[in-house]
Amino acid sequence: MRVVFHVPGRPVPKARPRVTKKGYAYTPRKTMAFEQSVVLAYRKSKSAGEPFPEGVPLLMELTFTFEPPKSWSKARREEVLRRGMCPTCRPDLDNLMKGVADALNGVAYKDDGQIAGAVIRKQYGRKDNTRVIIETMDEEEG
């Protein structure tokens, strides 16, 4: 089983929960909005059907694409895209993955603990987006 989908817009890393003065914890709005976008894109994908069976090891491949900063010259932006360069600054890969994996808990799979392998990358591109591929792992891989 394999599911492929794209989440439009700038990838957002999972932010730490915030705590109010009264001690209530909440997830920041930006994180919640991105997680909702992930769920919506998953549900709209033609390959999404039933959730992955519980207990089956999953492989998740994530590609986070960022537009080069607008503060860069046009020549520098084009060179970065032409050479296929990758961002080496924030946000961190692990926090980006956490946002996608947590968003799909109870939607694509029962728990993100089923993710037994991952391929994660950041790259520059013409449009901000996130590509997600989730598939069951072969017995030899597991």
Side-chain angles (χ1 to χ4, degrees), residues 9-15 30-31 34 64 66 91 95-96 99-100 130:
R10 189 163 182 85
V12 177
K14 178 79 172 193
K30 199 172 181 180
T31 300
F34 179 69
F64 298 99
F66 295 89
N95 292 330
L96 287 165
V100 174
T130 304

Side-chain angles (χ1 to χ4, degrees), residues 46-65:
K46 292 181 177 167
S47 56
E50 291 294 312
F52 287 91
E54 189 175 349
V56 173
L58 302 176
L59 175 66
M60 181 177 271
E61 184 177 333
L62 300 168
T63 305
F64 298 99
T65 304

Side-chain angles (χ1 to χ4, degrees), residues 1 50-60 97 101-102 104-118 134-137 142:
M1 186 172 166
E50 291 294 312
F52 287 91
E54 189 175 349
V56 173
L58 302 176
L59 175 66
M60 181 177 271
M97 180 183 173
D102 285 354
L104 295 172
N105 272 334
V107 179
Y109 38 75
K110 183 166 182 173
D111 184 76
D112 58 354
Q114 281 182 252
I115 301 169
I134 309 168
E135 58 191 337
T136 54
M137 293 179 78

Side-chain angles (χ1 to χ4, degrees), residues 82-136:
R82 183 179 49 79
R83 291 179 53 197
M85 297 172 71
C86 300
T88 56
C89 55
R90 291 187 181 270
D92 298 350
L93 277 179
D94 57 337
N95 292 330
L96 287 165
M97 180 183 173
K98 185 98 175 112
V100 174
D102 285 354
L104 295 172
N105 272 334
V107 179
Y109 38 75
K110 183 166 182 173
D111 184 76
D112 58 354
Q114 281 182 252
I115 301 169
V119 177
I120 318 162
R121 66 179 62 91
K122 293 189 292 188
Q123 65 185 22
Y124 285 119
R126 299 213 179 270
K127 294 232 181 228
D128 291 331
N129 74 78
T130 304
R131 184 185 71 189
V132 181
I133 301 172
I134 309 168
E135 58 191 337
T136 54

